[in-house]
Amino acid sequence: MLSFHCTSEILHTPFINKLLCRFITNYRSPPDYSHVVFPLWDKRKLPLLPKNPNAQSNTKPRKMPKRVIDIRGPELVHNKLIHKQFGVQALLGGNLTYGHIESSRLKINRKMDTNKMFAIWRIDAPWKPITKKPVGSRMGGGKGNIHHYVTPVKANRIILEMGGTVEFEDVYWMLKIVAHNLPFRARVVTQKMLEEEVALKQKLKEDNINPFSFDYAVHNNMLGCQPQLSKYDYIWNNEYR
């Protein structure tokens, strides 16, 4: 006669174990937002930047030369994330006009949720004057009048930052639109991405067994390469133009 005192043996059979595993779900632990510091309520959105710099009384706006060096080479100061979360980084140098800045501000402020997100600028308001002569004017006559103002940006410069109690997937689509509409190549970055790039660059430098680097070849004038290079090739080792 069949006995029912073997309940524990029945539950530990392979068939029952496989059946019970179907109802078990492994949820990942929630992210830690203890390091997030929110600004004040009225400062969580991107502020409106002035179109022109404040003019001084009884003085004419000052004209400036082109100064291509303002957009040439890498950014050495504002190339890291302050809030250690997400942002938009420039890959090449260029000039940001007021239209680019205002377009980015409207796209972010209209889509973001201020209850769990915030955004800050990492660039200055337009300050560099760009001159232009009227159409059809003759050559000569000195420098033209100021037409508009721009913000020079170098490579690796952080344009804006976003943060809050959100994950990367929640802000990626907003930052991607901003990066796509800038006048130069840009990308969406995270703190983890920047840290991995620095570690990879350091690892490649340590594991490199080739003694003939670009810096070594230039400073030793190998194959007579020095006359063909500019002074910026000595400084940036041919990484930036």
Side-chain angles (χ1 to χ4, degrees):
M1 188 173 179
L2 186 63
S3 175
F4 293 94
H5 296 287
C6 57
T7 307
S8 60
E9 298 178 0
I10 297 176
L11 290 178
H12 289 285
T13 57
F15 175 76
I16 299 299
N17 289 337
K18 185 176 181 181
L19 184 63
L20 292 176
C21 288
R22 295 182 179 180
F23 302 97
I24 299 176
T25 305
N26 294 325
Y27 294 100
R28 63 173 181 172
S29 58
D32 182 21
Y33 297 118
S34 59
H35 64 283
V36 177
V37 179
F38 278 87
L40 299 177
W41 278 98
D42 56 342
K43 296 183 179 181
R44 293 190 177 184
K45 289 188 175 182
L46 293 175
L48 178 66
L49 299 181
K51 186 175 183 179
N52 302 323
N54 296 328
Q56 299 179 358
S57 60
N58 301 326
T59 57
K60 295 179 64 176
R62 181 184 175 186
K63 301 176 184 180
M64 294 180 61
K66 287 186 177 181
R67 282 185 54 86
V68 184
I69 190 61
D70 291 338
I71 62 175
R72 192 172 189 176
E75 175 63 40
L76 303 178
V77 179
H78 302 282
N79 55 3
K80 298 179 178 62
L81 297 173
I82 296 177
H83 293 275
K84 310 296 182 182
Q85 287 192 278
F86 323 109
V88 176
Q89 184 184 44
L91 297 178
L92 297 175
N95 291 319
L96 284 175
T97 63
Y98 178 76
H100 298 125
I101 297 175
E102 185 65 10
S103 175
S104 302
R105 186 186 72 87
L106 293 177
K107 286 180 173 63
I108 295 296
N109 289 350
R110 288 173 180 174
K111 302 296 183 181
M112 67 181 297
D113 183 6
T114 54
N115 293 324
K116 57 181 180 179
M117 300 180 188
F118 66 89
I120 61 170
W121 286 117
R122 293 294 305 277
I123 57 173
D124 301 322
W127 59 270
K128 185 177 181 180
I130 302 298
T131 59
K132 184 178 180 181
K133 288 190 175 182
V135 179
S137 59
R138 293 178 177 271
M139 296 182 62
K143 197 170 181 65
N145 298 324
I146 295 177
H147 184 261
H148 63 279
Y149 291 84
V150 298
T151 300
V153 171
K154 292 186 177 183
N156 300 336
R157 176 70 181 258
I158 302 295
I159 307 298
L160 59 89
E161 280 192 50
M162 285 193 70
T165 56
V166 292
E167 298 189 35
F168 182 52
E169 293 78 8
D170 300 328
V171 299
Y172 172 73
W173 62 276
M174 288 186 286
L175 297 177
K176 185 179 179 181
I177 296 175
V178 174
H180 180 72
N181 291 334
L182 294 179
F184 42 77
R185 288 178 55 196
R187 62 171 181 171
V188 182
V189 295
T190 64
Q191 180 63 22
K192 182 179 179 181
M193 184 188 304
L194 296 179
E195 292 176 353
E196 290 177 351
E197 289 179 353
V198 173
L200 178 61
K201 187 175 181 180
Q202 183 66 23
K203 184 176 183 301
L204 292 177
K205 184 177 180 180
E206 294 175 354
D207 297 344
N208 184 22
I209 61 175
N210 183 10
F212 300 102
S213 61
F214 184 87
D215 183 50
Y216 179 86
V218 169
H219 285 82
N220 290 276
N221 195 23
M222 298 184 67
L223 299 178
C225 62
Q226 288 185 355
Q228 310 299 327
L229 302 175
S230 67
K231 63 178 181 179
Y232 299 110
D233 294 325
Y234 291 87
I235 301 173
W236 301 321
N237 292 331
N238 201 31
E239 292 184 7
Y240 303 93
R241 293 292 183 179

